[in-house]
Amino acid sequence: METIEQEVVVRPNMHTYYRSYRVDKNDTGIKMIPANDFSLVGARLTDRHNVIYTLQPDYEQYYQTTSLVKAMEKAKEGALTSINELIKRGDDGVAALLQYRIDHYEDLHVNLVDANIQLVEQQIVEDRYFKWTPYRIKS
């Protein structure tokens, strides 16, 4: 009888929970929200009968999706909408437009470019444990 040992591949930082992604309508940042991460956050829930479930405040101010690619597209769409609104203001919006472009430089010029969104989509298809880390300029 021959024994065959199986190689077990353990990936570092592997998440075994489902995630959704939240994008504020006027922002380019994407926030990951775990859906079934049951670790304690702060205090315990003591009385389950008196729990009131409500929508998060300002729910109309953001998009939430289970697709990272869709979240990236929504972030890009929101950024373009914000930039167009600042451009429509004319001379009054120039300073705000410049500040918006500076604040969101990495997302506008690297993370949310169509080629990079397609690259992330391809990596997700090829590797189910893919973890996206947005590019940030190190200061």
Side-chain angles (χ1 to χ4, degrees), residues 18-113:
Y18 297 103
R19 308 170 219 38
S20 65
Y21 301 93
R22 177 179 164 170
V23 178
D24 292 335
K25 289 189 179 180
N26 294 329
D27 195 8
T28 58
I30 298 171
K31 299 171 191 102
M32 186 191 73
I33 300 172
N36 64 343
D37 181 9
F38 299 114
S39 59
L40 291 176
V41 180
R44 286 183 165 218
L45 188 62
T46 55
D47 188 6
R48 294 177 190 256
H49 299 290
N50 295 329
V51 176
I52 298 172
Y53 294 99
T54 60
L55 291 172
Q56 292 180 340
D58 298 326
Y59 65 90
E60 65 277 344
Q61 296 300 318
Y62 62 84
Y63 300 104
Q64 193 152 345
T65 180
T66 56
S67 167
L68 175 59
V69 174
K70 184 71 79 178
M72 293 173 81
E73 290 170 351
K74 287 292 188 181
K76 181 178 180 177
E77 179 183 313
L80 292 175
T81 301
S82 296
I83 289 171
N84 286 333
E85 287 174 5
L86 292 171
I87 289 172
K88 286 179 185 175
R89 282 200 217 163
D91 291 336
D92 296 336
V94 171
L97 175 62
L98 181 60
Q99 189 61 50
Y100 187 88
R101 300 278 308 217
I102 291 169
D103 292 342
H104 301 279
Y105 182 83
E106 296 97 341
D107 289 329
L108 293 172
H109 295 284
V110 179
N111 297 323
L112 301 178
V113 175

